[in-house]
């Protein structure tokens, strides 16, 4: 075996002749050096936390790489569980929103929320299945995911329907605030009803266009519904008069007051004080004359007050 050494300092190549034993020894030394260098590199990489592929350990994975397949299956299972856990969290948030909607609807309908126990899961149970029935089986991950997806869609559907119902209930409630169904005076009995009666001044049969409530002078007069004040003045027959427009062609009048607390253009709320009971105008004594008119025609106020609910 000839080894040719080329060097710039020598100026020319130099040939060294090696016999068989010498060549084998040289090759063995080179192999040993390569092994030592590779071992040093692996040790350094291990100390730095860098993993190296271990092909020698491949047979430990089992025949046909079965262990590697199992690891992949575990990863897929883990990912599926993570997805289902996220979906479950979303459903819990939606159920909380449905419970809140249910409580608001219960209050709007006049029920107490605790009567429905929204925060408590409904009871479930039943007898032990008979031996003749089908053998129970465990539900698969895929079936569980499908059921969760179906349940999620049903929860969204129920939430949407409850939202629509709440909107309708809220709208009806808002409309009721503009219907004169609240009593214009507290703890007062009617002294003269709507309809035909004997006029206290003339003694003749005359049509009474409102309801008279007997009360002490100074008793607060409140708005029977929300609306806008269209009149706050003195009238020769009504005395100190307040007139409120509630929309939908509904109007209320409060007459014979001793004092007024609103002016034209004021927006009043249902139950807000608008004056005090008096005996001004065409009156025989302290009382409130209350009228309800629809498109200018007098209506029986008792019909509205009875439906106050």
């Amino acid at each position: 075996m000839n080894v040719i050494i080329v060097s710039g300092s020598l100026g020319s190549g130099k040939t060294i002749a090696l016999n068989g034993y010498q060549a084998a020894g040289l090759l063995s030394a080179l192999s040993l050096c390569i092994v030592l260098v590779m071992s040093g590199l692996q040790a350094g990489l291990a100390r730095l936390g860098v993993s190296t592929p271990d092909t020698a350990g491949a047979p430990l994975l089992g025949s046909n790489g079965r262990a590697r397949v199992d690891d992949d299956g575990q990863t897929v299972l883990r990912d599926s569980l993570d997805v289902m856990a996220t979906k479950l969290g979303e459903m819990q948030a939606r159920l909380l929103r449905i419970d809140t909607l249910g409580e608001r609807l219960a209050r709007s309908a006049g029920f107490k929320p605790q009567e429905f126990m929204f925060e408590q899961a409904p009871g479930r149970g039943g007898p032990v299945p008979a031996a003749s029935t089908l053998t129970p089986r465990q539900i698969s991950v895929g079936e569980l995911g499908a059921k969760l997806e179906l349940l999620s869609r049903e929860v969204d559907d129920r939430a949407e329907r409850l939202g629509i119902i709440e909107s309708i209930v809220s709208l009806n409630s808002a409309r009721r605030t503009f219907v004169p169904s609240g009593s214009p005076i507290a703890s007062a009995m009617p002294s003269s009803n709507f309809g035909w009666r004997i006029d206290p001044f003339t003694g003749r049969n005359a049509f009474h266009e409102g309801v008279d409530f007997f009360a002490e002078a100074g008793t607060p007069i409140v708005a029977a519904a929300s609306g806008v004040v269209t009149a706050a003045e003195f009238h020769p027959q009504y005395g100190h008069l307040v007139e409120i427009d509630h929309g939908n062609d509904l109007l209320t009048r409060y007459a014979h007051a001793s004092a007024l607390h609103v002016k034209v253009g004021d927006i009043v709320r249902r139950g807000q004080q608008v004056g005090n009971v008096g005996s001004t105008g065409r009156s025989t004594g302290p009382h409130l004359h209350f009228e309800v008119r629809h498109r200018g025609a007098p209506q029986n106020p008792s019909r509205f007050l009875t439906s106050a609910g």
Side-chain angles (χ1 to χ4, degrees), residues 179-265:
V179 175
S181 57
S183 177
I185 193 168
S187 304
M189 295 295 295
S191 57
S192 183
N193 292 321
F194 176 86
W196 292 97
R197 67 170 186 175
I198 301 298
D199 188 279
F201 290 94
T202 65
R204 296 179 180 178
N205 201 26
F207 192 84
H208 189 221
E209 295 184 345
V211 172
D212 290 341
F213 293 95
F214 171 76
E216 295 182 359
T219 302
I221 301 171
V222 301
S226 301
V228 179
V229 177
T230 55
E233 59 191 14
F234 184 83
H235 189 278
Q237 297 188 36
Y238 286 107
H240 288 297
L241 168 72
V242 173
E243 194 173 82
I244 302 176
D245 185 356
H246 306 287
N248 296 319
D249 299 317
L250 279 173
L251 179 145
T252 54
R253 287 177 180 169
Y254 312 79
H256 308 304
S258 61
L260 304 179
H261 299 292
V262 292
K263 62 184 183 299
V264 174

Side-chain angles (χ1 to χ4, degrees), residues 94-200:
R94 292 168 185 164
L95 284 174
L96 180 61
R97 184 176 62 181
I98 290 178
D99 289 344
T100 305
L101 279 174
E103 290 180 3
R104 286 205 298 264
L105 286 174
R107 289 193 183 95
S108 299
F111 294 100
K112 296 179 180 179
Q114 50 267 36
E115 293 179 359
F116 290 90
M117 298 182 294
F118 290 101
E119 74 285 351
Q120 183 176 339
R124 303 175 67 186
V128 177
S132 59
T133 59
L134 295 175
T135 304
R137 65 179 182 83
Q138 291 184 343
I139 187 170
S140 67
V141 174
E143 290 174 326
L144 180 59
K147 289 181 180 294
L148 279 175
E149 185 64 31
L150 176 61
L151 184 58
S152 177
R153 289 197 297 268
E154 292 178 351
V155 166
D156 288 340
D157 178 69
R158 300 302 187 276
E160 183 177 357
R161 293 179 187 225
L162 279 176
I164 294 173
I165 294 174
E166 184 190 29
S167 299
I168 295 173
V169 170
S170 299
L171 180 60
N172 290 337
S173 177
R175 286 175 176 170
R176 282 197 299 270
T177 64
F178 294 94
V179 175
S181 57
S183 177
I185 193 168
S187 304
M189 295 295 295
S191 57
S192 183
N193 292 321
F194 176 86
W196 292 97
R197 67 170 186 175
I198 301 298
D199 188 279

Side-chain angles (χ1 to χ4, degrees), residues 12 35 47 50 68 70 88 117 126 144 147-148 163 169 194 215-216 219 230 247 267 269 274 282 288 299 309:
S12 60
V35 171
R47 183 172 299 176
V50 180
R68 189 180 301 275
D70 290 343
L88 181 60
M117 298 182 294
L144 180 59
K147 289 181 180 294
L148 279 175
V169 170
F194 176 86
E216 295 182 359
T219 302
T230 55
I267 299 175
R269 300 183 307 275
V274 296
R282 191 171 183 266
L288 168 67
Q299 306 293 318

Side-chain angles (χ1 to χ4, degrees), residues 66-105:
R66 182 169 183 175
R68 189 180 301 275
V69 173
D70 290 343
D71 288 343
D72 292 341
Q74 289 294 328
T75 301
V76 172
L77 177 60
R78 233 178 357 256
D79 293 342
S80 300
L81 290 176
D82 289 343
V83 171
M84 285 188 287
T86 302
K87 180 67 68 175
L88 181 60
E90 293 174 356
M91 289 175 57
Q92 288 173 337
R94 292 168 185 164
L95 284 174
L96 180 61
R97 184 176 62 181
I98 290 178
D99 289 344
T100 305
L101 279 174
E103 290 180 3
R104 286 205 298 264
L105 286 174

